[in-house]
Amino acid sequence: MTNPLLTTWDTPFGLPPFDQIADADFAPAVDVALQQSRDNIAAIAQNADVPTFDNTITALETADELLGRVLGAFYALAGADSNAAREELQREFAPKLSAYASEVSENTALFARVKTLWDQRETLDLTDEQQRVLMLTHRGFVRSGAQLSGDDATALRDAKSRLSVLGTDFMQNLLADERSWFLPLGPDDLTGLPDFVIATANAAGVEKAAGGPVVTLSRSLIVPFLQFSDRRDLREKAYEAWGARGANGGETDNRALAAETLKLRETRAKLLGYDNFANFKLETEMAGTPAAVNDLLMQVWAPAKAAAEADAKVLTQMLHADGFEGPLEPWDWRYYAEKRRKELHDLDEAELKPYLQLDRMIEAAFSCATRLFGLEFAPLEGPTYHPDVRMWEVTRNGAHVAVFIGDYFARGAKRSGAWCSAMRVQTRIGGDIRPHVVNVCNFAKPEEGKPALLSYDDARTLFHEFGHALHQMLSDVTYESISGTSVARDFVELPSQLYEHWLEVPEVLAEFATHADTGVPMPQDLLDRMLGAATYDMGFQTVEYVASALVDLAFHNGPAPADPMQKQAQVLEQIGMPHAIRMRHATPHFAHVFAGDGYSSGYYSYMWSEVMDADAFDAFEEAGDPFDPDTAKRLEETVLSSGGSVDAADLYVAFRGRLPGVDALLKGRGLAGSA
């Protein structure tokens, strides 16, 4: 029988034929694709012709075409619709893919060709984009250990192979803990919960076959439960379970994996000539050094902590007024903060949520993209990996731009959080290849026949991930290695965080924030109150984030700690972490940092990008129109379409004329003057 992963995909726009693919197809397809990649690499390395950009660099760009196609389909499934077979395949693929990557980076004949081109770069008459790709390719080989040999090369290969396994195991352990825990709720346990939370708990109970409502560890359910439940004992139980993910002992405990990961990263960095992993990792980022990262985080930490401590005093008084003695605890903060928000801003999430329908917020995100960049979105039928998945064709002036795929609802088979990925990226090698871009979220799925309702934070997440999607969809480069979001880690969040600002534009909400039952637009008074509360509780939000970023940096900026939990505690003590706030991501469930290298030493990136996004949106405000066409055109041409073809700092300066300072961020978060 023909393996559908290895055939030409006769589907709309070449989408993966998920309706034909079985889990058993992936392993043989990956083996075939890996062999094809190895053959392609061998052909490049052994080419008897003098190295040229086309026969070496361009050839490298296309060497893994089949492998990328197969893995694009597989990892879309593995992250968003996992099962035992797919988790086993992830464990099987991790060392295989790491071994292949090491083979490429250690291929001396291949590196010799790349180095020849690098040494001759001034005489090759390359375009600016080709010069950039050559630099990145050469740098990538060097940072992958191409200049090592003997025992050092073997040690680096072994470290990278083991790290790939550890990252997979970490994520699967976390998913197992999230999937297995739930708290049944009896009739007396629902006190204080609004109807929308009860409906979400009922839907979760159906999925878990629990015979009634439950609280799960899905953020879209546990956070509103912590906000509204009058049962302090149940809030504590749910919060502690949420915080204990990856630290419950047994086979799914991640603490030993985190320690081994940090040690291997240190080994990797030192083999490559760096004092520590943070110096290695940050060398290619906008920040450049651990000192620059720490300076930014501490500039924000002081005012954020001051604001949070002032808020904690008020919330503690509310706790005592309810008859509870002792300090404010982490499972109390969201509950009393919600009550205080209602008092200060006359804003109740139960009143607000019916106006934030998922479908209408999707329309809002699309509408903003239409007004800014001329994009149009039409529903698309085709094979998907889950019934909840929706697709749209994206066009501009009648021409195809991309396929956009949205997977919005939480389910037990999906890892937590929200993310953007691409099953196929934009490139012009071999034709005008347009991207297949996926947004994955974990919003609460409604009861049958009811509209899905979002919190304001959920709506921001939707806009955030769509900003990433625009970065992929509007990419306009030749080479895949610099396409879309292939940029510095502390620059990649700029388009996503910038796009969040359009959710706050009053005319956008006035049009799309309509009541689920009546269709009536959000009243102006409620709209004003919602926007007026945009920076409410920002001390708490900033403290939990910055604490996580500082711990991540400390893990990697020096010798690897033998006990990461002890190191975490030391860092939190040194910065004076408030008692009633915990890290957004404690070490055992810090997937950004330990489920792969992506955000290791780089969790600060959201804050670094926020410095830019606050300043970038000011460009539209200075133009007097959040949809100013000239500013939008400049944003697309300098940032969104350029991918990694130009240094990130140069891209930003091309858009804004200068690099920003931290003042715009503090102002945007309502923290200016708090320290």
Side-chain angles (χ1 to χ4, degrees):
M1 182 179 292
T2 303
N3 189 322
L5 288 162
L6 301 175
T7 63
T8 300
W9 293 348
D10 185 19
T11 54
F13 306 105
L15 288 161
F18 286 113
D19 55 342
Q20 302 172 34
I21 298 170
D23 289 340
D25 294 325
F26 282 109
V30 166
D31 287 343
V32 169
L34 273 172
Q35 187 57 54
Q36 185 179 105
S37 291
R38 287 188 169 98
D39 292 343
N40 291 340
I41 293 298
I44 300 168
Q46 296 165 15
N47 191 338
D49 294 339
V50 172
T52 65
F53 189 89
D54 284 341
N55 71 20
T56 302
I57 305 301
T58 302
L60 277 171
E61 288 279 324
T62 59
D64 296 334
E65 185 176 346
L66 177 60
L67 183 62
R69 188 174 71 147
V70 173
L71 292 178
F74 173 72
Y75 284 112
L77 274 170
D81 194 31
S82 186
N83 59 29
R86 292 165 194 166
E87 290 175 9
E88 178 57 35
L89 287 169
Q90 283 183 284
R91 291 190 290 270
E92 177 186 334
F93 293 164
K96 283 186 177 183
L97 297 173
S98 178
Y100 167 66
S102 293
E103 289 172 24
V104 174
S105 64
E106 295 171 15
N107 188 316
T108 54
L110 180 61
F111 179 59
R113 295 180 69 86
V114 172
K115 189 173 187 305
T116 295
L117 293 170
W118 175 246
D119 291 341
Q120 298 174 353
R121 61 191 180 278
E122 300 299 334
T123 66
L124 297 179
D125 192 28
L126 301 179
T127 67
D128 290 344
E129 186 176 341
Q130 289 173 331
Q131 287 274 11
R132 176 75 173 172
V133 171
L134 176 58
M135 184 278 290
L136 292 172
T137 303
H138 178 264
R139 187 177 74 181
F141 269 90
V142 172
R143 286 172 59 83
S144 295
Q147 294 176 313
L148 299 182
S149 61
D151 291 344
D152 286 349
T154 300
L156 182 62
R157 184 190 319 122
D158 291 345
K160 290 194 288 187
S161 178
R162 179 61 181 159
L163 282 167
S164 70
V165 172
L166 291 171
T168 299
D169 288 349
F170 189 99
M171 192 68 242
Q172 291 188 356
N173 289 346
L174 179 55
L175 179 59
D177 278 4
E178 291 174 344
R179 191 166 46 203
S180 63
W181 188 92
F182 61 89
L183 175 67
L185 300 176
D188 295 337
D189 301 331
L190 304 178
T191 175
L193 299 181
D195 289 344
F196 77 85
V197 179
I198 295 174
T200 303
N202 282 328
V206 171
E207 184 190 8
K208 297 295 185 184
V214 301
V215 177
T216 69
L217 297 182
S218 169
R219 188 177 185 89
S220 61
L221 176 50
I222 196 168
V223 168
F225 181 80
L226 293 170
Q227 286 177 303
F228 293 105
S229 175
D230 291 337
R231 290 285 301 276
R232 193 184 190 212
D233 59 330
L234 297 182
R235 295 202 311 269
E236 178 180 3
K237 186 178 293 187
Y239 184 90
E240 293 289 24
W242 196 30
R245 290 169 294 159
N248 289 303
E251 294 183 354
T252 62
D253 197 294
N254 276 333
R255 287 171 287 191
L257 273 61
E260 186 180 358
T261 296
L262 294 174
K263 184 62 179 174
L264 287 171
R265 285 178 180 161
E266 180 185 25
T267 297
R268 178 182 173 191
K270 288 191 171 181
L271 285 168
L272 293 169
Y274 297 84
D275 289 339
N276 56 59
F277 187 79
N279 284 333
F280 164 72
K281 189 68 181 292
L282 294 171
E283 179 184 53
T284 60
E285 307 300 333
M286 287 185 73
T289 65
V293 173
N294 189 72
D295 180 60
L296 169 68
L297 294 174
M298 293 311 295
Q299 284 187 66
V300 177
W301 175 257
K305 180 185 174 186
E309 288 177 333
D311 289 339
K313 291 179 180 178
V314 177
L315 302 185
T316 299
Q317 292 173 354
M318 297 171 69
L319 172 75
H320 293 168
D322 277 351
F324 296 106
E325 304 207 0
L328 185 76
E329 299 291 350
W331 47 88
D332 295 320
W333 191 291
R334 288 177 173 82
Y335 178 75
Y336 287 104
E338 180 64 28
K339 287 183 175 296
R340 187 182 180 213
R341 182 172 74 154
K342 185 168 177 57
E343 292 176 2
L344 291 179
H345 298 281
D346 191 22
L347 193 63
D348 183 345
E349 189 161 314
E351 176 189 12
L352 183 64
K353 205 158 185 174
Y355 291 98
L356 300 175
Q357 301 175 67
L358 171 61
D359 285 352
R360 296 293 280 154
M361 291 300 101
I362 294 171
E363 290 178 40
F366 288 175
S367 173
C368 291
T370 300
R371 295 181 65 180
L372 288 164
F373 309 116
L375 300 178
E376 300 287 346
F377 301 81
L380 177 66
E381 294 297 323
T384 61
Y385 59 80
H386 191 276
D388 287 344
V389 173
R390 302 160 67 181
M391 298 194 297
W392 294 264
E393 182 190 3
V394 187
T395 59
R396 179 156 57 183
N397 298 325
H400 177 73
V401 172
V403 172
F404 175 66
I405 301 162
D407 181 0
Y408 295 108
F409 296 129
R411 52 182 175 269
K414 182 189 288 187
R415 64 181 171 90
S416 60
W419 64 93
C420 176
S421 62
M423 290 191 287
R424 187 175 80 181
V425 302
Q426 179 270 327
T427 176
R428 287 199 294 272
I429 298 178
D432 184 13
I433 307 301
R434 302 308 308 170
H436 303 157
V437 187
V438 187
N439 273 181
V440 182
C441 299
N442 270 281
F443 304 142
K445 189 171 185 178
E447 295 177 287
E448 190 69 30
K450 298 289 184 68
L453 305 179
L454 306 182
S455 67
Y456 192 63
D457 184 57
D458 288 339
R460 289 179 69 94
T461 296
L462 187 148
F463 268 68
H464 177 102
E465 298 306 333
F466 193 73
H468 281 309
L470 287 172
H471 202 181
Q472 293 275 19
M473 291 188 287
L474 293 173
S475 178
D476 185 22
V477 298
T478 301
Y479 301 97
E480 181 174 329
S481 62
I482 54 170
S483 179
T485 56
S486 297
V487 298
R489 180 65 62 176
D490 49 11
F491 188 73
V492 76
E493 298 297 337
L494 169 61
S496 55
Q497 293 179 184
L498 174 59
Y499 206 67
E500 293 178 31
H501 288 271
W502 276 277
L503 177 61
E504 301 173 350
V505 173
E507 65 186 272
V508 173
L509 288 166
E511 180 176 358
F512 294 100
T514 56
H515 198 279
D517 295 329
T518 66
V520 173
M522 182 182 292
Q524 187 64 45
D525 174 60
L526 179 57
L527 177 60
D528 292 343
R529 284 183 279 136
M530 183 179 73
L531 294 177
T535 60
Y536 173 70
D537 208 27
M538 195 56 72
F540 167 84
Q541 295 178 42
T542 308
V543 161
E544 64 166 8
Y545 165 77
V546 174
S548 296
L550 286 167
V551 168
D552 166 43
L553 184 64
F555 278 159
H556 299 97
N557 188 26
D563 183 351
M565 300 304 294
Q566 183 182 42
K567 182 68 172 180
Q568 172 185 298
Q570 289 174 349
V571 173
L572 297 180
E573 183 178 3
Q574 289 168 0
I575 62 177
M577 186 74 170
H579 172 79
I581 306 177
R582 293 183 186 168
M583 293 168 60
R584 182 171 299 176
H585 304 290
T587 298
H589 55 86
F590 206 163
H592 282 79
V593 171
F594 291 106
D597 273 353
Y599 282 88
S600 54
S601 298
Y603 192 61
Y604 77 92
S605 300
Y606 294 93
M607 189 66 72
W608 191 275
S609 293
E610 190 175 340
V611 170
M612 290 181 286
D613 84 62
D615 177 70
F617 193 71
D618 280 349
F620 287 88
E621 295 185 330
E622 290 164 10
D625 179 4
F627 297 97
D628 178 65
D630 291 336
T631 308
K633 182 179 180 182
R634 192 167 74 251
L635 176 65
E636 179 179 351
E637 291 177 346
T638 58
V639 175
L640 296 176
S641 69
S642 298
S645 63
V646 179
D647 180 78
D650 293 338
L651 288 177
Y652 190 82
V653 171
F655 171 63
R656 200 68 173 102
R658 53 164 174 73
L659 289 173
V662 74
D663 294 345
L665 178 148
L666 294 175
K667 178 183 176 183
R669 285 187 169 239
L671 298 173
S674 294

